[in-house]
Amino acid sequence: MTDLAPFLAAIEGVPVETDRALVRQKSRDFFWYSPVLKRQLNRVTADAVVTPRDEAEVARVLAAAVRHRVNVTPRGAGTGNYGQAMPIRGGIVLDLSALDRVVWTRPDAVRAQCGAKLIDIDAHTRASVGGELRFHPSTKRTATLGGFIAGGSSGIGSCTWGILREPGNILGLRLLTMEQTPRAIELRGLDIQKANHAYGTNGVITEVEMPLAPAWEWVDVVAAFPTLMDAARFADGFTRQDGIAKKLVCVLAAGIAQAHFRALAPVLPAGRAIALLMVAAPFLEFLPALLAPHGGTEVHRQRSDAAEVPLYEYSWNHTTLQVLKTDKSVTYLQTLFPPPVHLAKVAEMEAAFGDEVPIHLEFVKFGGEVACFGLQLVRFTTEARLAAIIAAHEAAGCPIFNPHAFTLEEGGMKKVDHDQLAFKREADPLGLLNPGKMLAWENPDWRPSQSRHLYETA
Ligand SMILES: Cc1cc2nc3c(=O)[nH]c(=O)nc-3n(C[C@H](O)[C@H](O)[C@H](O)COP(=O)(O)OP(=O)(O)OC[C@H]3O[C@@H](n4cnc5c(N)ncnc54)[C@H](O)[C@@H]3O)c2cc1C
């Protein structure tokens, strides 16, 4: 445990929590989705939680942490699911949820503080300029904007707009460096990638500027299909319909929704694959003709903003959460089924693994093409079997963004991001920000095969 007394004295006046139970609570995220991370990270806790109320207080905290060599792990709402916001080397959790102001809004863009909740930003921009964020994670009701940029990637709206990494989906980031006198840096254009999805390892984001899309009246539609591939072929074609405003094209193998989505189950026909869609109201009348060639029929419809549980809370990583509520034995994968062979690869993996890996697909635009991400469920038996399933997908040409690893490199493309590493040298020269999450910081020559013995913490 770090001796925090001199550091805490230096930040007197900034809210601090040291109660062990509360600190432990805010040292955790949804890492327990993964049996591997659960084993590795279950005992992780910070020494204190510090909650600055404005950017000046964030700067004071960072300056004092540098002076007293205290590790700092930024935190938004703690909904990340690979332990991104967990302080694996102790120190403080920097809770940024109090920086929650919308700074300004224009008809085409919004700038907000990092701790603003995505749902509050959307409510604000809808009311003031008739716009909304292009896309959001399925944790929209709780997640913060800074946490989405630093820890997330894509979500509801990615079927139209692609993922955060694609140029144009983030307009600007303001961040503070981890130095004795913290500097504020504004990243714009392609420089944004230096800190996008860096798990808060190379700067504390204080403000984010995002483009807006038109705010439609969204309608949730559930459709049923004879087979998984019927649903997947419909979803692929539907995602290509650029004339139809849509936010969600999700496909679930037969049985997932019927067995685990309690509120929807009564309307879902047994034995059928399911598609979850969000479509703008004016375009609904096109749906029957697009569903019919694939044997699809609409089985349920609700207004997205009026529903107790909006359909997006059954999609993306919420699918796994809903299933875990009734079956604790499952875990999941994150797979890219690469275009243009994505549908063939889905069929290949369905045939290879059957009910051991029930298929869940999210259709997206990816590099200008239609592709699908798999967030397949896995009926977990052993870590060795899970590793074998992952290896088989990669050998078949379907890259896995491993959700059972807590470092940037292992969870991502299994390679060092040299731009993020170079920016860390500039913005966090002592390596105090979220230490242990960027393998390349400790070993710039890191290779995938080296990771396990270096970062096994249990
Ligand atoms: C049920 C469920 C569904 C999900 N669905 C999706 C989805 O559809 N799409 C998706 O992309 N993700 C999804 N996620 C992951 C996660 O919810 C999102 O990425 C979310 O946006 C994270 O926001 P947060 O505020 O909770 O961030 P946190 O979990 O608090 O933090 C995430 C990372 O960002 C860092 N961080 C936080 N704030 C800052 C800051 N201001 N400056 C620097 N670093 C910072 C943290 O250190 C951490 O590394 C899901 C997770 C769950 C549990």
Side-chain angles (χ1 to χ4, degrees):
M1 186 157 172
T2 323
D3 175 19
L4 282 189
F7 162 74
L8 293 179
I11 60 161
E12 207 197 329
V14 181
V16 172
E17 182 59 69
T18 54
D19 176 87
R20 283 184 63 168
L22 293 175
V23 171
R24 184 162 187 268
Q25 208 176 59
K26 286 223 166 157
S27 299
R28 296 161 82 81
D29 59 13
F30 284 69
F31 72 104
W32 49 265
Y33 260 44
S34 157
V36 180
L37 295 182
K38 195 169 173 185
R39 175 177 60 74
Q40 292 177 328
L41 302 181
N42 207 23
R43 278 172 287 164
V44 165
T45 187
D47 302 304
V49 177
V50 179
T51 309
R53 290 158 295 194
D54 54 31
E55 193 185 86
E57 285 192 347
V58 177
R60 256 186 80 199
V61 173
L62 298 185
V66 170
R67 214 170 316 124
H68 297 283
R69 303 291 192 268
V70 173
N71 292 330
V72 173
T73 300
R75 178 185 175 93
T79 67
N81 42 350
Y82 339 115
Q84 297 107 305
M86 294 180 69
I88 58 172
R89 304 243 173 103
I92 63 158
V93 162
L94 185 69
D95 178 350
L96 292 151
S97 58
L99 274 75
D100 61 356
R101 241 176 355 100
V102 172
V103 180
W104 54 251
T105 316
R106 296 193 312 240
D108 56 359
V110 60
R111 189 170 175 104
Q113 287 186 306
C114 59
K117 282 188 187 170
L118 299 168
I119 191 165
D120 295 336
I121 298 172
D122 263 2
H124 183 97
T125 53
R126 258 184 182 263
S128 55
V129 294
E132 62 180 18
L133 295 169
R134 285 179 171 178
F135 53 97
H136 60 79
S138 59
T139 43
K140 171 180 175 172
R141 296 210 266 189
T142 44
T144 65
L145 182 56
F148 184 39
I149 304 301
S153 63
S154 46
I156 291 87
S158 289
C159 58
T160 300
W161 295 102
I163 67 175
L164 280 176
R165 234 194 134 67
E166 297 189 78
N169 279 334
I170 308 169
L171 297 175
L173 291 184
R174 178 180 167 92
L175 40 80
L176 293 184
T177 61
M178 186 76 183
E179 296 175 286
Q180 194 129 10
T181 307
R183 287 172 293 142
I185 297 180
E186 176 87 9
L187 296 178
R188 301 195 73 84
L190 293 182
D191 278 348
I192 288 166
Q193 300 313 330
K194 293 175 180 173
N196 174 35
H197 201 76
Y199 292 2
T201 56
N202 60 11
V204 175
I205 299 166
T206 55
E207 288 181 11
V208 184
E209 199 176 308
M210 297 292 275
L212 295 178
W216 295 96
E217 180 194 323
W218 295 107
V219 179
D220 293 345
V221 176
V222 183
F225 296 82
T227 68
L228 175 80
M229 291 313 297
D230 288 326
R233 277 187 286 271
F234 159 78
D236 184 66
F238 188 59
T239 308
R240 291 173 201 279
Q241 297 294 341
D242 289 337
I244 294 181
K246 61 185 112 40
K247 258 182 128 164
L248 180 66
V249 186
C250 166
V251 167
L252 302 165
I256 296 178
Q258 288 90 338
H260 302 287
F261 297 180
R262 273 192 210 141
L264 287 179
V267 300
L268 302 177
R272 301 220 140 202
I274 297 296
L276 308 178
L277 311 171
M278 275 175 77
V279 183
F283 306 98
L284 285 168
E285 58 191 298
F286 292 92
L287 258 185
L290 295 171
L291 288 167
H294 303 281
T297 49
E298 183 176 326
V299 295
H300 180 66
R301 184 183 283 206
Q302 63 188 23
R303 254 191 70 167
S304 205
D305 60 355
E308 196 178 319
V309 183
L311 214 49
Y312 67 72
E313 288 186 0
Y314 293 101
S315 72
W316 288 84
N317 278 320
H318 264 84
T319 306
T320 313
L321 182 64
Q322 300 287 1
V323 175
L324 280 166
K325 285 181 187 169
T326 48
D327 183 353
K328 297 267 182 289
S329 72
V330 298
T331 188
Y332 71 123
L333 301 177
Q334 291 184 160
T335 313
L336 170 65
F337 290 104
V341 292
H342 49 291
L343 292 183
K345 291 289 169 193
V346 170
E348 193 181 322
M349 292 300 107
E350 187 194 24
F353 293 103
D355 193 49
E356 185 182 11
V357 184
I359 289 190
H360 160 200
L361 305 171
E362 297 291 345
F363 282 77
V364 296
K365 291 272 175 63
F366 188 74
E369 295 188 66
V370 170
C372 54
F373 291 146
L375 287 92
Q376 309 95 307
L377 301 174
V378 176
R379 299 197 193 282
F380 181 73
T381 48
T382 64
E383 289 188 25
R385 178 61 188 155
L386 180 62
I389 293 170
I390 289 174
H393 279 75
E394 297 208 311
C398 305
I400 298 276
F401 300 87
N402 190 358
H404 306 285
F406 57 79
T407 63
L408 275 164
E409 290 86 349
E410 294 164 295
M413 294 301 284
K414 320 283 185 300
K415 61 181 191 199
V416 170
D417 184 326
H418 290 281
D419 285 349
Q420 291 193 346
L421 177 62
F423 191 60
K424 185 169 173 72
R425 291 201 180 101
E426 185 188 324
D428 178 28
L430 296 175
L432 294 169
L433 278 174
N434 209 353
K437 301 292 172 58
M438 187 190 271
L439 287 168
W441 174 255
E442 279 138 85
N443 176 9
D445 299 322
W446 169 85
R447 298 281 175 278
S449 57
Q450 291 172 277
S451 60
R452 204 149 180 88
H453 64 280
L454 267 176
Y455 284 92
E456 194 71 49
T457 60

